[in-house]
Amino acid sequence: MNVVKKNEFLVENEEHNFQDWTVRYKSSHILPSKCTEKCENDEFCSYCIYEKELHIPHLPEMVFPNNSLEIVHKSGCSIEFNALDALKLVKNENQSVKIACSESWKKARQESGLVNKTIGDFDWTFKTNYIGTYKDWGTRELTDLTIDKNKLMQREKILLYRKLILFEDELHDNGTSFCSVRIIPLALMNDPDEVANLIPLIEMKCEKLSLPT
């Protein structure tokens, strides 16, 4: 395990090799709430990179910019999970998500003029369809194949287990939304946030990857 000083962050690095695969894991502190450097020209701190790359009104309460999990094959292709790419898929539009007490709140404030007011076109639950950042694969195509759950249930020696939080928000004390990824012996699992579990499944897609030739 290596700890590397990177600007304002201490970054913890781990690397493990399993046959033809290498697993690289990095973790560090949350994103600062303001610029920590005098950013100019083409050199930016982590905060400024997020401000420039993302087009949403505000970030989740906790973002971990240096947290990442990368799976690399000996051929050079890889899958990486990181917070910036996950947040790029948060829709900057109104998703009409309502909390459980919204109706009683409206009834108590009928005369306030706030009942029908829209507070920004923005998915404040930070829902994302992020399934990883893919690099240098041979092909990537939709398939009817699904994960073999029976194989996942087999008892095997745990060679590596990590759970990595990419971002998290308490939704103004109305619950918790988070995006995380964990690795277990036979599969990667990109955890859905808690809000996603309450939303009906509209579509499920499975993809098949092939190694480069």
Side-chain angles (χ1 to χ4, degrees), residues 114-126:
L114 298 174
V115 174
N116 297 317
K117 185 177 180 180
T118 300
I119 310 298
D121 292 330
F122 166 57
D123 183 0
W124 57 277
T125 65
F126 300 101

Side-chain angles (χ1 to χ4, degrees), residues 19-22 71-78 135-138 210-213:
Q19 298 179 8
D20 295 338
W21 298 89
T22 298
I71 315 299
V72 184
H73 187 258
K74 67 177 183 179
S75 64
C77 59
S78 66
K135 300 176 183 177
D136 301 325
W137 287 86
S210 64
L211 297 173
T213 56

Side-chain angles (χ1 to χ4, degrees), residues 88-185:
K88 284 180 179 179
L89 296 182
V90 173
K91 293 184 178 180
N92 192 12
E93 59 186 42
N94 196 325
Q95 299 293 298
S96 300
V97 178
K98 297 180 180 180
I99 61 176
C101 62
S102 62
E103 292 303 321
S104 59
W105 184 91
K106 285 183 178 181
K107 290 179 181 179
R109 293 165 176 80
Q110 287 293 335
E111 306 300 326
S112 67
L114 298 174
V115 174
N116 297 317
K117 185 177 180 180
T118 300
I119 310 298
D121 292 330
F122 166 57
D123 183 0
W124 57 277
T125 65
F126 300 101
K127 185 168 71 270
T128 176
N129 293 326
Y130 184 59
I131 58 173
T133 303
Y134 295 75
K135 300 176 183 177
D136 301 325
W137 287 86
T139 60
R140 179 182 172 188
E141 57 188 4
L142 293 176
T143 179
D144 293 330
L145 297 174
T146 57
I147 294 176
D148 187 343
K149 294 183 179 180
N150 290 327
K151 190 173 183 180
L152 286 179
M153 294 172 64
Q154 294 177 6
R155 291 183 177 273
E156 292 192 1
K157 181 180 179 181
I158 297 177
L159 301 177
L160 175 65
Y161 177 87
R162 287 289 183 272
K163 182 171 182 178
L164 195 69
I165 295 178
L166 302 181
F167 64 80
E168 183 174 349
D169 192 281
E170 293 186 353
L171 306 178
H172 310 288
D173 295 327
N174 290 302
T176 301
S177 176
F178 65 89
C179 180
S180 64
V181 60
R182 57 193 171 104
I183 184 169
I184 57 178

